[in-house]
Amino acid sequence: MIRVLLADDEGMIRSALAALLSLEPDIEIIAQCADGQQALTEAVALRPDVCLLDFEMPGLDGVDVAARLRRTVPTRCVIVTRHARPGVLRRALAAGVAGFLPKTRGAEEVAEIIRQVAGGARYIDPEVAADALSVDRPPLTSRELDVLRAGRRGETTGQIARSLSLAPGTVRNHISAILAKLSVSTRQQAVILAEEHGWI
Amino acid sequence: MIRVLLADDEGMIRSALAALLSLEPDIEIIAQCADGQQALTEAVALRPDVCLLDFEMPGLDGVDVAARLRRTVPTRCVIVTRHARPGVLRRALAAGVAGFLPKTRGAEEVAEIIRQVAGGARYIDPEVAADALSVDRPPLTSRELDVLRAGRRGETTGQIARSLSLAPGTVRNHISAILAKLSVSTRQQAVILAEEHGWI
DNA sequence: TTAGTCCGATGACAAAAGTCACGGGCTTAG
DNA sequence: CTAAGCCCGTGACTTTTGTCATCGGACTAA
């Protein structure tokens, strides 16, 4: 019997997956969690064979949970995500996850992937993997990404500068460089572009 | 037998719901669609008893589909949505939908709601309904909302002006009014706030 | 009718944002 | 060692935004 922990903040998909997986003779859902923190504590307490973790969750995201679980609990993590960006896959692999699956795939495949992963194999969605290999490294320096992140909610130059302990002029220089590299003309467009590529 | 059309751009939840609902003895899934346009054509062709429509879909959203179906096909629409904002509910009710259900609810309830709706009743999620009644009309005029919408991707004043056939100064005045009413200091913050409240 | 509100517009002004050139300190690769 | 690249900062400059006062036209409610 494969003991599975299921974490997804969306109740409908969580309960639907739980119901479907419970129909499988060799799979048992031992916990359902609505956020990352809860998933972490449950996983530590129950030591499931496999953790099926949604990426987008309030508080800790799925990859955060996998990373923290890595050295403490001998469990295999599968990340499931709505928007499978290369950046997310890279983060997930760095966190040592055993599986990576976008939600565009059908629910039928989930049980099979859980079996593979429980058996020691890894499963990475081929399409996302191809995307990630074919590149899309951010053309921005790490500091420029910091600035972009700090300003992603429409913060003013002064606010960004304060939150990063920088001079306003420095922030403006970074932003100017960002806009040039991304060939856009406002911060907001830069933020949107970067989010779409999974750079921030 | 209740004939149901299912539309959701997320493959995993679509297939999971289809599998679960097919287990019900009195429910039959006659179509699965991945976007609004497809849902519309299938619904016209198949004339299902109930359409279960995701709100967030590329192209036409679920409410758009329901609105267009309204006068052409005698079917009852249920809108399912991830972020159940009051604005979305209002739009949905205006489009004459028979049911409204956030995805935070469990999948178990879906079958029962389909039965209720097929039987002629309406189902509106009580929590969302309470939210919608208790508050949150946009403090902006309709023209201000247009401007905000036109600028939601970080468009420049000139671009907004062109897309609405306005003078740049007019656009700036509207934006100035918006920022004052919303007590924020940048367009981007205004856009984010308005999106969170479902005003745009 | 009148007052109020919204729309569109203009002009003037202040504040932010963006561009450019340049400097010094730091680390890394050749 | 040197060159290159990044980081942080400054100062000067232009452009874009945001604010304000004001105007006329359309519509609505009292």
Side-chain angles (χ1 to χ4, degrees), chain B residues 156-157 172-173 176 187:
Chain B
T156 189
T157 300
R172 291 208 318 253
N173 285 340
S176 187
R187 300 153 180 227

Side-chain angles (χ1 to χ4, degrees), chain B residues 4 6 10 15 20 28 36 38 50-51 57 59 61 68-69 74 76 80 94 108 122 125 137 148 155 158 171 194:
Chain B
V4 175
L6 188 58
E10 212 167 278
S15 59
L20 279 183
E28 180 187 6
Q38 192 188 346
V50 175
C51 293
M57 286 191 292
D61 68 36
R68 297 187 190 203
L69 246 32
R76 317 259 305 155
V80 180
E108 320 80 46
R122 298 182 95 184
D125 179 74
R137 320 211 86 276
L148 206 49
E155 285 83 351
V171 171

Side-chain angles (χ1 to χ4, degrees), chain A residues 121-156:
Chain A
R122 299 181 92 184
Y123 178 86
I124 307 295
D125 179 75
E127 272 192 47
V128 187
D131 276 1
L133 284 176
S134 70
V135 243
D136 212 22
R137 320 209 81 277
L140 307 178
T141 71
S142 82
R143 207 51 175 154
E144 285 163 355
L145 289 173
D146 289 342
V147 171
L148 206 49
R149 254 188 293 271
R152 74 159 108 195
R153 288 260 166 61
E155 284 83 351
T156 189

Side-chain angles (χ1 to χ4, degrees), chain A residues 6-60:
Chain A
L6 189 57
D8 194 316
D9 62 326
E10 212 167 278
M12 188 168 292
I13 196 163
R14 187 174 69 242
S15 60
L17 280 180
L20 279 184
L21 291 174
S22 297
L23 297 178
E24 304 288 330
D26 56 341
I27 291 178
E28 181 186 6
I29 303 293
I30 59 169
Q32 291 188 39
C33 311
D35 63 66
Q37 189 56 54
Q38 192 187 346
L40 193 54
T41 54
E42 293 274 23
V44 170
L46 301 172
R47 307 174 77 84
D49 299 312
V50 175
C51 293
L52 196 64
L53 303 168
D54 185 26
F55 173 63
E56 295 93 355
M57 286 192 291
L60 293 179

